[in-house]
Amino acid sequence: QQCFGCVLGIFLLALLTVWHPMQDYPVANYMLGITLLCGSFWVFEVIPIYITGLLPLILMPMYTICSTDIAAKAYWNQVQLLVVSTYLIDLALEEVQLPRRASLKLLLATGVVQPGLLLFSFMAMCYVLSMFCNSIAVTLMITPFAIGLMGAAEEQARNSDLESDEDHSDSDAEDGAAKGVQRF
């Protein structure tokens, strides 16, 4: 099947190079041949799709359809560079574990005792991180730490309630501090 696709694509390119069905636009014949070559390579999976996508970049200047500069600009522009650079910054931040280190510093500075201050510090940290990478990536980086922190605060509140219940056995208040943390 791959061999058939390879032969078919090369045959169609050669056919349209020699035989010109469109007399008014001879360059369009070459472009049609390149398109059919890439299409048959893609459908029959002759070579990987990434290499198939680069064939016009090589063949268009070879058939003098356009220059390499013009063909390359179609593959890469400023918006794509912005997306790739944001992704690379996100990877770098994850690699050095910056969100984890920042959240631990905030915990040491604020403590779990003041939930409002803790929430504000997480919001400020997300604000600063959002300046350098996209908001979705910051949310994905910070959410596990925030959930883990809230779980630890709830567990600490339950443990303190259990200790106070052991000291005061006549108290029927059920998880008062834990409910305060859950309400937060």
Side-chain angles (χ1 to χ4, degrees):
Q1 181 180 2
Q2 290 177 339
C3 186
F4 175 73
C6 181
V7 170
L8 178 67
I10 293 173
F11 172 74
L12 289 173
L13 178 63
L15 178 70
L16 288 169
T17 302
V18 175
W19 177 59
H20 299 285
M22 293 178 257
Q23 299 296 329
D24 295 337
Y25 304 105
V27 176
N29 296 314
Y30 300 140
M31 193 63 216
L32 181 61
I34 293 171
T35 305
L36 292 175
L37 173 77
C38 290
S40 70
F41 276 22
W42 177 67
V43 168
F44 293 104
E45 298 175 352
V46 176
I47 54 178
I49 190 80
Y50 314 109
I51 299 171
T52 304
L54 291 175
L55 283 177
L57 183 65
I58 298 165
L59 294 174
M60 285 167 56
M62 207 165 93
Y63 280 99
T64 63
I65 296 172
C66 66
S67 68
T68 307
D69 189 40
I70 294 172
K73 283 182 182 177
Y75 282 87
W76 195 254
N77 62 25
Q78 294 174 349
V79 175
Q80 292 165 333
L81 180 65
L82 178 68
V83 170
V84 169
S85 63
T86 303
Y87 176 70
L88 291 176
I89 288 174
D90 292 342
L91 286 178
L93 289 177
E94 280 292 323
E95 185 67 29
V96 298
Q97 297 180 351
L98 180 68
R100 182 177 184 186
R101 289 191 285 157
S103 60
L104 289 175
K105 283 248 191 225
L106 287 173
L107 283 177
L108 290 174
T110 61
V112 184
V113 196
Q114 302 169 345
L117 183 60
L118 186 63
L119 178 64
F120 174 74
S121 60
F122 263 94
M123 288 170 53
M125 184 176 60
C126 289
Y127 174 74
V128 170
L129 284 174
S130 291
M131 290 181 193
F132 302 105
C133 55
N134 62 22
S135 300
I136 294 171
V138 171
T139 304
L140 291 174
M141 288 188 283
I142 295 297
T143 302
F145 299 111
I147 290 172
L149 176 67
M150 290 306 294
E154 188 176 327
E155 185 178 326
Q156 182 182 9
R158 281 200 179 125
N159 288 341
S160 66
D161 277 351
L162 287 176
E163 289 174 4
S164 67
D165 283 347
E166 289 175 1
D167 294 340
H168 307 288
S169 59
D170 58 328
S171 172
D172 288 333
E174 179 184 328
D175 294 335
K179 286 186 179 183
V181 170
Q182 288 174 349
R183 187 188 75 219
F184 170 69

